[in-house]
Amino acid sequence: MSSLTRADAERRAQIIDVTAYQVELDLSRGDLPDHTTFESRSTITFTATAGASTFLDVKAAEVRSIELNGTLLDLASVADGRVTLPDLAADNAVVVEATMGYSNDGQGLHRAVDPADSQAYLYGHLFLDAAPKVFACFDQPDLKAPYTIVVTAPEHWIVLGNGAATQAIPGRWELATTQPLATYFVTICAGPYASVTDEHDGIPLGIHARASLAQELSDQAPGMLQVTKDAFDYYHQLFDIRYPFGSYHQVFVPEFNAGAMENPGCVTFRDTYLFRGAATQDEILTRATTITHEMAHMWFGDLVTMDWWDDLWLNESFAEYMAHRTLTAITDSDDAWVDSTMARKAWGYAAERAPSTHPVAGSPAPDADSALQNFDGISYAKGAAVLGQLVAHLGDEAFVTGVTAYLKEHAYGNAALADFLGAMETASWRDLSSWAQAWLTTAGVDTIGAHQMGDGVRITRTRSEQAPADRPHAVDVAGWTDGEQVLHVRASLDTDEVTVPVSAGGRAALLVPNASDLTWARSALSQDSLAVLPTQLGQVGEPQHRAVVWVALTDALALAEVDPRLVVETFAQAWPVEDNPSILSRAGLLLTSRVLGEYLPDADVPAAAETSAAAARARLDSAEPGSSQALAAARVLAAATPDADLLGRWAGGTDLPEGLLGDRDFRWLVLRALAVAGAVSADELEAAAAQDSSLQGKLSALAARAALPTEADKEWAWDQLVGDHDRSNYERNALATGFWAGRHTDLVRPYVVAFHRDIPALEGRVGQDALARVATLAYPRTVVEEATAAATREALASGDLSPAVRRALVDQQSVLREVLASRAAFGG
């Protein structure tokens, strides 16, 4: 079906204005095995230019009737997900009755069956252009309207949605009429969900999850509710606007494509955020960040919605920035910003390096499918960093005043970049046109360098070659020698170079540009700093400075500026003394997945794995038993060690680190490592899966089975991934994740051609959001050969790819070329 174009949306918005939706959904058979459809009835009232015509969006399994102003329309006129509404009156009502199909790709009304108890769960993810798969509508973000929804469901189910749900009679749920919402914010969650409820400041609160996760929900809900309450208090105080959508439910749902979705009053989260076993402190912090991110969306995106998808940054950049700002305020800790550096900014810099990089704001979005591709590290991480620079540019008081004015002026409506900038200019009495051009509407990243010279530090700004712009930076530089901070200077970098005087204090061995991560820019470590990095990094006392160095090292690795062996050496000496959970986890992932998995030549991997495992063992031995640090070390040790005997004992429950006995997810991590090494059989994995009948166990078993290094197992896994099987989005992702694991190039090389043939062919069977993820995960990046890049180049030249697949291929080929360049520069 064709994706909605901006031109079509603008024409439709000039003709009509939607006044209300009444939606009735019959989900009463949703608990029956293998049930695939539900009934939908939409009544839409709208005003229009009299005599004009427009179109309605409906993507149904079967449309039974369409009645416009009392006249039945010809059902044959429904084509390509649309039906024309002719000869409109000034005031109109259209009623559509249809049979809709449940999805298994995370879009529309997704239906998942929990293998733990065979219970079915439904949730609506109507993001971007999936709303017409649930009810007929005018599906674009600037046609907001209130919704009144009635749901019929099995009597033992509960129903949740954007409006407070009341069970009128057994099995019939009536939801309170909402404030005006964009179509993509509407959701319904239905099933035998377990619940924990509370109230704060007059706001009813609820947290919900599958029944099989009831104990985990009960144990973890108090912490999540406390974050929610504290964040509400902070947002109310900051914005001077109360939460506008009544009750506030957070629903942890199965097989969710994103981390979460900001549906007003009923936020949905991937339920892997409910931890089945041990969790590191950074995992708990990530969940808290996601909670505060989605809460920020209640104002940025939900209360005020972008006119069109090219301004999605007005949603995501603000939510990203506010999440970390809020957590810092309510926890009185900088851990959220350290985690932002390690997890989010590293992601954003990778997006900036890719050929698909784009401006924060105003990136072309001719249709909805194209817009989907820009939900990336630019729109999230870079946009948040740019807002930090705006705060530095205007001052926090002017920033908050401008934001509040913007939200109040456009409440329950829509806005664009010009509206936001106008509010900021009024609040600050400053012209932001040149600032916005440099930071918002021009792509590219500058590089910040630092050199100590006598009694000063010379700070340099090198502009992006691809898209040079005159970006002002609020920046700092720190210098460390043997654990002592010998200098720390701040500067406003409005030119390409500035020298800042320093007081006498000695020469720094390690000089860290942008040490406090104040701006969006590459931190270029000098050759002198790189030379001492292994011995000096572990002695740096500020975790934020260490995080900036790790991200700088990651960036330099990707740009073939540092030898991957230096990363191994730095890890070996700095990681065993690291204590920050975010740095431990992310640096460990960099080492095990990227350096050992891709960058190092095959001949260097065994020794590097031994070195990495030794570092992990040292950190495990020094950590408090059962601590977050111990868990991070155990995970890295399991991923890196070539010691199959150790892994075998751990898989059998013997000699496990404290706190991991009975931890099913850790056992699957170990079993997958054994599978990659060919040290476990398919039958043994099947037996393990029988012992863990959960949804996560099923997915972990698929990933481990796909990782087995035999021709038969690879053939089976590929067929399950791309063949005509009823696989969910998560099952395909698990298979793709496991398939390329390990250094088995000769075994998987034939599937390079298969990938470029079979993955694009999934279009039509899998929605664009899910297809983008599986195409990314299934890309043959571990076959580090020029032939792989050439196959992608040929596929891209064919011009016969969906936007999701094209973006995945462009970006993954770019990452592959980074690895190829590194191997060419440093051997291998």
Side-chain angles (χ1 to χ4, degrees), residues 57-116:
D57 302 295
V58 55
K59 301 175 182 178
E62 179 188 2
V63 179
R64 295 194 308 281
S65 69
I66 303 174
E67 182 180 302
L68 175 63
N69 298 331
T71 300
L72 290 173
L73 301 185
D74 183 0
L75 298 184
S77 63
V78 179
D80 200 25
R82 296 179 180 179
V83 59
T84 298
L85 304 181
D87 193 22
L88 296 172
D91 295 290
N92 304 271
V94 61
V95 181
V96 179
E97 296 186 358
T99 299
M100 302 289 189
Y102 291 118
S103 77
N104 70 348
D105 64 359
Q107 296 171 251
L109 192 57
H110 184 97
R111 182 179 185 273
V113 176
D114 188 345

Side-chain angles (χ1 to χ4, degrees), residues 5-250:
T5 67
R6 179 171 191 161
D8 281 349
E10 288 175 341
R11 282 191 289 269
R12 184 160 63 178
Q14 291 172 355
I15 294 170
I16 69 168
D17 186 28
V18 186
T19 54
Y21 282 90
Q22 291 184 334
V23 178
E24 298 176 44
L25 301 176
D26 183 354
L27 314 177
S28 57
R29 301 175 65 197
D31 60 338
L32 298 179
D34 301 321
H35 197 60
T36 59
T37 61
F38 61 97
E39 302 306 312
S40 171
R41 187 177 194 271
S42 307
T43 302
I44 311 166
T45 55
F46 61 101
T47 61
T49 302
S53 65
T54 190
F55 62 93
L56 184 72
D57 302 295
V58 55
K59 301 175 182 178
E62 179 188 2
V63 179
R64 295 194 308 281
S65 69
I66 303 174
E67 182 180 302
L68 175 63
N69 298 331
T71 300
L72 290 173
L73 301 185
D74 183 0
L75 298 184
S77 63
V78 179
D80 200 25
R82 296 179 180 179
V83 59
T84 298
L85 304 181
D87 193 22
L88 296 172
D91 295 290
N92 304 271
V94 61
V95 181
V96 179
E97 296 186 358
T99 299
M100 302 289 189
Y102 291 118
S103 77
N104 70 348
D105 64 359
Q107 296 171 251
L109 192 57
H110 184 97
R111 182 179 185 273
V113 176
D114 188 345
D117 55 14
S118 299
Q119 296 282 353
Y121 292 86
L122 310 179
Y123 65 86
H125 187 55
L126 277 52
F127 174 69
L128 218 63
D129 60 356
K133 297 179 180 179
V134 179
F135 56 91
C137 58
F138 298 106
D139 188 26
Q140 59 191 75
D142 59 337
L143 292 178
K144 298 172 73 172
Y147 285 78
T148 303
I149 298 178
V150 175
V151 178
T152 303
E155 292 186 9
H156 66 288
W157 281 16
I158 67 167
V159 172
L160 302 161
N162 306 100
T166 303
Q167 189 169 202
I169 60 174
R172 179 181 171 86
W173 295 78
E174 298 175 353
L175 278 65
T177 300
T178 70
Q179 297 286 0
L181 304 180
T183 47
Y184 78 97
F185 288 139
V186 178
T187 193
I188 290 293
C189 299
Y193 285 99
S195 303
V196 174
T197 59
D198 204 342
E199 184 174 325
H200 179 68
D201 194 17
I203 305 170
L205 306 175
I207 302 185
H208 315 268
R210 287 178 285 132
S212 64
L213 293 171
Q215 187 60 56
E216 289 83 353
L217 177 68
S218 177
D219 293 343
Q220 297 169 46
M224 292 187 285
L225 285 167
Q226 190 60 56
V227 171
T228 303
K229 295 173 184 180
D230 291 344
F232 267 132
D233 290 343
Y234 183 77
Y235 287 138
H236 286 161
Q237 176 271 326
L238 189 68
F239 301 143
D240 191 32
I241 303 171
R242 279 189 59 81
Y243 168 68
F245 297 110
S247 57
Y248 192 74
H249 294 279
Q250 299 174 90

Side-chain angles (χ1 to χ4, degrees), residues 246-539:
S247 57
Y248 192 74
H249 294 279
Q250 299 174 90
V251 191
F252 291 81
V253 300
E255 301 178 342
F256 196 69
N257 280 331
M261 178 64 198
E262 65 268 22
N263 313 302
C266 190
V267 177
T268 43
F269 296 80
R270 60 170 57 193
D271 61 11
T272 51
Y273 278 135
L274 280 178
F275 308 117
R276 301 194 310 163
T280 59
Q281 291 173 1
D282 67 290
E283 288 175 319
I284 296 171
L285 178 62
T286 296
R287 181 175 66 190
T289 303
T290 306
I291 289 171
T292 54
H293 177 111
E294 303 310 319
M295 293 180 71
H297 272 308
M298 298 301 118
W299 289 266
F300 296 100
D302 296 5
L303 179 64
V304 181
T305 306
M306 60 200 169
D307 281 334
W308 183 247
W309 300 105
D310 57 349
D311 273 326
L312 66 91
W313 79 282
L314 287 170
N315 293 10
E316 299 304 345
S317 299
F318 277 95
E320 182 85 4
Y321 169 77
M322 289 307 309
H324 294 98
R325 174 174 174 151
T326 300
L327 274 182
T328 300
I330 67 179
T331 62
D332 195 27
S333 167
D334 290 331
D335 285 351
W337 288 118
V338 175
D339 189 70
S340 172
T341 299
M342 291 299 297
R344 309 298 281 181
K345 293 190 86 170
W347 171 45
Y349 290 139
E352 194 84 274
R353 291 193 305 270
S356 59
T357 188
H358 55 86
V360 171
S363 183
D367 57 45
D369 280 348
S370 299
L372 175 63
Q373 311 316 314
N374 288 337
F375 281 78
D376 57 16
I378 303 294
S379 299
Y380 286 73
K382 182 178 181 179
V386 168
L387 288 175
Q389 285 295 301
L390 183 60
V391 173
H393 189 62
L394 301 180
D396 195 62
E397 182 178 354
F399 175 77
V400 173
T401 298
V403 164
T404 300
Y406 164 80
L407 291 172
K408 288 183 176 180
E409 180 178 356
H410 301 284
Y412 305 110
N414 298 81
L417 171 62
D419 300 309
F420 172 75
L421 291 177
M424 287 295 158
E425 289 178 336
T426 299
S428 65
W429 294 91
R430 298 182 68 172
D431 180 3
L432 293 176
S433 55
S434 61
W435 184 93
Q437 180 182 16
W439 276 113
L440 291 175
T441 60
T442 305
V445 58
D446 295 341
T447 300
I448 305 297
H451 302 273
Q452 193 170 355
M453 305 174 63
D455 58 355
V457 174
R458 180 165 58 91
I459 308 173
T460 60
R461 175 189 68 177
T462 303
R463 306 186 199 191
S464 166
E465 293 182 2
Q466 291 78 15
D470 188 12
R471 299 182 183 90
H473 296 271
V475 70
D476 69 340
V477 175
W480 291 83
T481 300
D482 297 334
E484 179 184 357
Q485 186 172 337
V486 297
L487 66 87
H488 188 204
V489 298
R490 292 177 179 266
S492 294
L493 194 58
D494 299 321
T495 61
D496 289 341
E497 181 179 316
V498 64
T499 299
V500 182
V502 296
S503 57
R507 189 167 187 83
L510 175 60
L511 207 57
V512 186
N514 193 30
S516 299
D517 205 10
L518 301 177
T519 191
W520 179 264
R522 285 193 60 222
S523 294
L525 300 175
S526 68
Q527 290 302 311
D528 289 343
S529 290
L530 287 171
V532 300
L533 200 56
T535 59
Q536 292 293 322
L537 180 56
Q539 301 182 69

